């Protein structure tokens, strides 16, 4: 680590230590528990399709060989569309979902099969489109509709994360490294808007400001695991595994 990197890192670390003493819990409100089909047993990707005004929820089985994509009514969270797949190559784990209204495509990652692969899905027909392979690993992916760029969160080690920023054509713009202050490689979900990025560890929600520095780390109950998140009408929503159900929560203070 060079001297300038150290100098940049010190103020961020100090701020986080101060926040450790004063931070409050994520204000989660349970909205709906959705019973999912017996052919799948967990949710992964979750995003909002602004064109159709539906949430999109990806569920998979443990072998990453079966996937169901559900469309959910944004007010009641009732299932209004169901699309079944047996695809262990392009879709597989469906680690996150994000929607680009400029292309009307959903983008998903399947790190279990290929950690460099992104797969597109037509948001109207739910047909699988092209696969995109990039040099960097990609697990958690969000599209920033304000900045018109993709953001990817990649574990570097147990606590550090690399934030990669891409053009809509997945040309790398820049990378930043941040400390998530969570001693585990797992990180879930990705939300990006106007340069700000939000993702979850197994017990915290991490917010990164438009300069690529951590601005807030907020805990939530460890019994929950936020898989993915997105925003509709200025309210953040998250999908959480709950046995053979998927629980949809609103994040009141985000």
């Amino acid at each position: 680590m060079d001297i300038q990197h150290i100098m940049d890192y010190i103020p961020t670390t100090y701020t986080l230590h101060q926040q450790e003493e004063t931070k409050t819990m994520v204000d989660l409100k349970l909205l709906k528990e959705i019973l999912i089909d017996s052919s799948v047993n967990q949710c992964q990707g979750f995003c909002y399709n602004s064109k159709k005004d539906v949430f999109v929820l990806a569920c998979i089985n443990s072998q990453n060989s079966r996937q169901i994509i559900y469309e959910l009514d944004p007010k009641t969270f009732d299932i209004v569309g169901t699309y079944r797949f047996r695809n262990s190559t392009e879709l597989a784990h469906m680690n996150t979902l994000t929607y680009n209204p400029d292309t009307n495509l959903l983008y998903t990652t399947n790190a279990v099969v290929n950690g460099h692969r992104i797969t597109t899905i037509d948001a109207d027909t739910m047909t699988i489109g092209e696969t995109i392979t990039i040099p960097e690993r990609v697990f958690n992916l969000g599209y920033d509709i304000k900045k018109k760029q993709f953001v990817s969160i990649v574990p570097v080690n147990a606590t550090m994360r690399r934030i990669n920023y891409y053009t809509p054509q997945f040309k790398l713009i820049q990378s930043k490294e941040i400390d998530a202050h969570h001693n585990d490689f797992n990180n879930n979900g990705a939300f990006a808007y106007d340069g700000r990025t939000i993702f979850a560890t197994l017990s915290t929600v991490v917010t990164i400001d438009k300069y690529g520095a951590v601005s807030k780390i907020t805990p939530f109950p460890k019994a929950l695991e936020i898989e993915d998140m997105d925003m509709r009408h200025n309210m953040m929503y998250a999908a959480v595994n709950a046995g053979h159900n998927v629980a949809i929560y609103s994040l009141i203070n985000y």
Side-chain angles (χ1 to χ4, degrees):
M1 182 180 289
D2 57 41
I3 295 297
Q4 184 58 52
H5 196 166
I6 294 172
M7 295 302 293
D8 290 342
Y9 179 74
I10 288 172
T12 302
T13 305
Y14 175 77
T15 301
L16 287 175
H17 288 165
Q18 293 295 100
Q19 290 169 350
E20 287 291 326
E21 300 176 1
T22 60
K23 63 191 179 184
T24 57
M25 297 285 285
V26 177
D27 190 358
L28 291 164
K29 180 182 178 181
L30 178 62
L31 302 175
K32 180 93 171 187
E33 285 201 4
I34 302 165
L35 178 64
I36 60 177
D37 187 85
S38 60
S39 64
V40 292
N41 62 4
Q42 59 186 286
C43 71
Q44 287 297 322
F46 175 76
C47 70
Y48 176 61
N49 178 339
S50 56
K51 178 184 175 184
K52 294 179 74 173
D53 192 22
V54 293
F55 282 100
V56 185
L57 176 70
C59 295
I60 64 167
N61 65 357
S62 299
Q63 295 75 38
N64 302 298
S65 59
R66 291 193 179 190
Q67 303 82 20
I68 297 180
I69 299 177
Y70 294 107
E71 290 179 324
L72 308 176
D73 181 283
K75 297 177 182 177
T76 65
F77 293 96
D78 292 335
I79 295 172
V80 295
T82 302
Y83 307 86
R84 300 174 187 273
F85 302 87
R86 293 192 180 197
N87 189 302
S88 57
T89 305
E90 287 81 25
L91 297 183
H93 198 62
M94 299 198 75
N95 197 51
T96 52
L97 272 176
T98 191
Y99 174 66
N100 181 350
D102 299 321
T103 60
N104 195 37
L105 293 174
L106 299 163
Y107 297 77
T108 190
T109 58
N110 68 12
V112 172
V113 174
N114 186 332
H116 298 262
R117 177 183 292 163
I118 300 159
T119 297
T120 65
I121 304 167
D122 186 291
D124 286 333
T125 65
M126 290 296 174
T127 53
I128 300 172
E130 67 173 327
T131 58
I132 303 160
T133 302
I134 61 176
E136 302 78 27
R137 294 181 302 155
V138 54
F139 303 130
N140 298 44
L141 185 69
Y143 183 69
D144 187 329
I145 61 174
K146 184 79 170 181
K147 291 288 187 179
K148 296 191 181 299
Q149 63 184 19
F150 285 96
V151 179
S152 169
I153 303 104
V154 182
V156 177
N157 56 40
T159 66
M160 299 299 291
R161 303 291 186 269
R162 181 174 294 114
I163 316 301
N164 291 325
Y165 301 85
Y166 295 92
T167 68
Q169 295 75 37
F170 291 100
K171 180 180 179 181
L172 183 65
I173 301 169
Q174 63 174 334
S175 296
K176 301 276 188 177
E177 288 196 4
I178 60 99
D179 192 339
H181 282 241
H182 180 78
N183 193 27
D184 191 286
F185 275 94
N186 282 280
N187 56 270
N188 296 331
F191 172 78
Y193 183 76
D194 199 18
R196 187 178 66 152
T197 305
I198 298 173
F199 68 93
T201 69
L202 293 180
S203 61
T204 60
V205 175
V206 181
T207 304
I208 302 165
D209 65 22
K210 62 182 180 180
Y211 303 107
V214 174
S215 61
K216 183 168 63 171
I217 296 179
T218 313
F220 58 83
K222 291 184 179 180
L224 303 178
E225 183 178 357
I226 294 174
E227 291 292 346
D228 205 357
M229 63 196 77
D230 208 346
M231 184 171 283
R232 176 184 183 266
H233 295 177
N234 297 315
M235 176 62 73
M236 185 75 76
Y237 298 87
V240 174
N241 283 311
H244 201 74
N245 294 347
V246 174
I248 305 297
Y249 286 86
S250 58
L251 281 65
I252 305 298
N253 50 346
Y254 274 83

